[in-house]
Amino acid sequence: MKSISVLRLRVAYASTAVVRLLTLFFVCAFVAVSATDASAGDAGKEQQIRAVVRFVPDGDTLVLAHGEVVRLLGIDAPEMGKNGASDQFYAAKARALLASMVLGNIVIVRPSSPSKDRYGRTLAEVMLPGGENVNEILVSEGAAMVYYHDDLPEGYFNSLLALQRRALKIRIGMWQVLKSMNTGGALYVANRRSMRLFTPSCDGAGRIARKNRVEFSSIDEAFAFGYSPARHCGIWPDQ
């Protein structure tokens, strides 16, 4: 009987020890996960930049007070003329709209990943202090178009494209020029991999692989699918 009692005590002790070890394991695991989550949150906050905008050179770029140049992620505004060249249609109005929202004001810059483009500019979403997304406002108002690139998150591209389709439908902002661009039944050629739009005679159009080649008889349709003009093709008109 004595040996049975001792055995029961040993089993009970072992069970208690196992419970303690399991409890300790789960507590440590919880602390580790919580620490990881906190670190990720802190990292996200650290990546955000709060700064005053010092200069707005065009409708999709801004310069912060400390000199950092920010290129608005996923959009492209008509080009301002340089070296004597004419402004593209709606370029000055696009810049004016962006400046009216951010110039001299504090903005929140949320860099993408990767955070730099090939010119060293910070690629980012820009938020107003009230939470409004500047990139989205510009597309909604027809002051910028969707601009696809490989690193652009698919979900963000789709959300911008939905805004662009609504702007196209009501011909707001720069989209009022589409009627004149569609005359003559011009054919446009696009690359579904790069999401760039060409005229058939433009350099690069003939090198699009057959599997990536798309043709449009209406430029409205091309923009509705998120294609943007190859800049060297001169598709978007001057002012």
Side-chain angles (χ1 to χ4, degrees):
M1 293 293 294
K2 183 177 180 181
S3 61
I4 293 174
S5 298
V6 170
L7 179 61
R8 286 176 178 172
L9 286 173
R10 287 177 178 174
V11 170
Y13 179 79
S15 299
T16 302
V18 169
V19 170
R20 288 176 178 173
L21 286 172
L22 287 174
T23 302
L24 181 61
F25 170 79
F26 284 116
V27 168
C28 291
F30 175 79
V31 170
V33 170
S34 299
T36 301
D37 289 345
S39 298
D42 291 342
K45 291 179 181 177
E46 290 174 0
Q47 288 177 355
Q48 292 187 0
I49 304 165
R50 292 180 65 92
V52 173
V53 176
R54 174 168 59 84
F55 179 57
V56 177
D58 56 39
D60 54 36
T61 312
L62 50 86
V63 181
L64 303 179
H66 58 277
E68 184 174 0
V69 181
V70 177
R71 177 68 163 77
L72 300 184
L73 178 69
I75 70 171
D76 190 34
E79 298 292 324
M80 299 294 297
K82 298 177 182 178
N83 301 320
S86 300
D87 294 347
Q88 288 188 328
F89 177 76
Y90 215 79
K93 291 181 178 179
R95 180 175 68 174
L97 176 59
L98 178 57
S100 71
M101 292 189 285
V102 303
L103 186 59
N105 299 327
I106 294 175
V107 296
I108 301 165
V109 179
R110 294 179 177 173
S112 66
S113 179
S115 62
K116 300 290 183 181
D117 68 6
R118 58 179 175 169
Y119 303 108
R121 301 174 299 186
T122 298
L123 288 169
E125 291 180 75
V126 174
M127 315 295 291
L128 300 178
E132 301 90 344
N133 187 305
V134 173
N135 308 45
E136 293 177 355
I137 292 173
L138 291 170
V139 175
S140 296
E141 295 296 321
M145 68 181 69
V146 176
Y147 189 75
Y148 175 85
H149 53 82
D150 288 339
D151 300 310
L152 186 65
E154 183 179 358
Y156 190 57
F157 171 79
N158 289 333
S159 66
L160 289 175
L161 184 56
L163 297 174
Q164 177 162 299
R165 285 173 174 168
R166 287 198 287 270
L168 279 163
K169 186 175 181 179
I170 62 175
R171 291 291 195 265
I172 192 173
M174 67 184 190
W175 300 119
Q176 60 194 272
V177 79
L178 289 182
K179 184 177 180 180
S180 62
M181 294 177 71
N182 276 327
T183 58
L187 177 69
Y188 295 92
V189 180
N191 186 327
R192 62 163 51 96
R193 182 176 180 182
S194 67
M195 297 298 290
R196 295 296 172 263
L197 188 66
F198 304 79
T199 56
S201 60
C202 181
D203 182 40
R207 296 196 297 272
I208 301 173
R210 180 176 297 179
K211 65 179 181 179
N212 295 324
R213 186 181 179 90
V214 187
E215 295 184 356
F216 296 102
S217 58
S218 164
I219 200 167
D220 298 58
E221 187 180 10
F223 286 127
F225 278 98
Y227 291 90
S228 55
R231 292 178 178 172
H232 64 283
C233 289
I235 293 175
W236 195 258
D238 289 338
Q239 185 66 50

